[in-house]
């Protein structure tokens, strides 16, 4: 729950459990069963049409589709109600990263602060993180994975150093373009980049 949102009360007295997942590829099984959207799935459709067709297909999900996807029949039989959630947009992913009280980015900022390092994000880096997470099709869970991969080596090295003051995540370090987070010493000298590579515009309202 977001701290600024109202509570939604749910009577759980008749709910045994709630199951959720990404179920990647489920729409293809539904399309084969129903024949709906068969012409629109091809290469001639633009991305927006494909998204609309996928959403329409998922609303037609049936227990047999879940079984063919890999769930055992005994398990599916205990799921009397199946609901479909709308996919997260890029803006939603960015909000998830930065707005909640215990947001992912705030957690990493605090982690690096323990080593006396200020973690910063270049302008556009949050959008790059969200885009990379969306390509992995694992929902909001992919956000933490992307940030962890970018900072993995840095978090191992920082505890043994006392000369680093800033760590800046750039779009290059996220987009697999051979870049790594820029480390800046207490004297203002970047260790793994030139001064002109230090971004002048940073993302705000994170910590």
């Amino acid at each position: 729950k977001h701290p600024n949102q109202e509570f939604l009360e749910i009577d759980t007295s008749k709910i045994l459990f709630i199951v959720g997942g990404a179920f990647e590829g489920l729409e293809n099984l539904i399309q084969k069963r129903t024949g709906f959207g068969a012409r629109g799935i091809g290469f001639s459709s633009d991305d927006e049409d494909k998204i609309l067709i996928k959403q329409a297909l998922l609303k037609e999900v049936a227990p047999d589709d879940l079984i063919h996807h890999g769930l055992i029949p005994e398990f599916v039989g205990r799921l009397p109600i199946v609901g479909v959630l709308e996919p997260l947009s890029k803006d939603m992913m960015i909000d998830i990263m930065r707005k909640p009280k215990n947001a992912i980015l705030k957690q990493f900022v605090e982690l690096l602060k323990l080593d006396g390092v200020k973690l910063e994000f270049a302008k556009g880096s949050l959008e790059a993180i969200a885009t990379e997470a969306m390509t992995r099709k694992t929902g909001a869970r992919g956000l933490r994975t992307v940030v962890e991969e970018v900072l993995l080596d840095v978090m191992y090295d920082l505890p043994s150093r006392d000369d680093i003051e800033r760590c800046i995540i750039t779009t290059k370090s996220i987009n697999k373009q051979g870049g790594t987070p820029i480390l800046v010493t207490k004297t203002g000298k970047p260790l793994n980049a030139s001064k002109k590579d230090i971004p002048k515009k940073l993302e705000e309202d994170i910590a």
Side-chain angles (χ1 to χ4, degrees), residues 101-207:
K101 188 176 181 180
N102 62 338
I104 297 169
L105 300 184
K106 294 178 182 178
Q107 293 178 26
F108 281 99
V109 168
E110 291 299 320
L111 277 174
L112 268 66
K113 190 183 293 184
L114 295 175
D115 295 313
V117 178
K118 184 178 181 181
L119 177 61
E120 299 173 325
F121 297 84
K123 206 72 176 176
S125 59
L126 300 190
E127 184 177 352
I129 293 172
T131 301
E132 177 64 23
M134 292 175 74
T135 59
R136 303 186 184 195
K137 299 181 180 180
T138 54
R141 291 171 297 180
L143 296 170
R144 175 176 291 276
T145 303
V146 174
V147 179
E148 283 180 342
E149 288 177 357
V150 172
L151 289 174
L152 184 61
D153 293 336
V154 173
M155 289 192 293
Y156 272 109
D157 293 338
L158 287 181
S160 62
R161 307 192 60 147
D162 58 3
D163 59 333
I164 305 299
E165 184 179 49
R166 300 167 62 197
C167 174
I168 308 171
I169 292 181
T170 64
T171 54
K172 286 185 178 181
S173 61
I174 297 161
N175 295 333
K176 312 292 185 184
Q177 296 177 359
T180 57
I182 298 175
L183 301 178
V184 183
T185 64
K186 294 178 180 178
T187 61
K189 179 183 178 181
L191 288 182
N192 51 350
S194 62
K195 281 195 174 183
K196 65 179 182 179
D197 293 327
I198 297 179
K200 296 180 180 180
K201 294 184 178 181
L202 301 173
E203 297 285 355
E204 301 176 351
D205 302 327
I206 294 176

Side-chain angles (χ1 to χ4, degrees), residues 59-72:
K59 291 178 181 178
E60 302 297 324
V61 64
D64 282 346
D65 300 320
L66 296 175
I67 293 173
H68 287 130
H69 194 270
L71 298 182
I72 60 175

Side-chain angles (χ1 to χ4, degrees), residues 29-46:
L29 296 174
I30 301 172
Q31 189 272 321
K32 289 179 181 178
R33 175 175 59 82
T34 63
F36 175 75
R39 297 183 63 183
I41 293 292
F43 294 104
S44 60
S45 299
D46 57 34

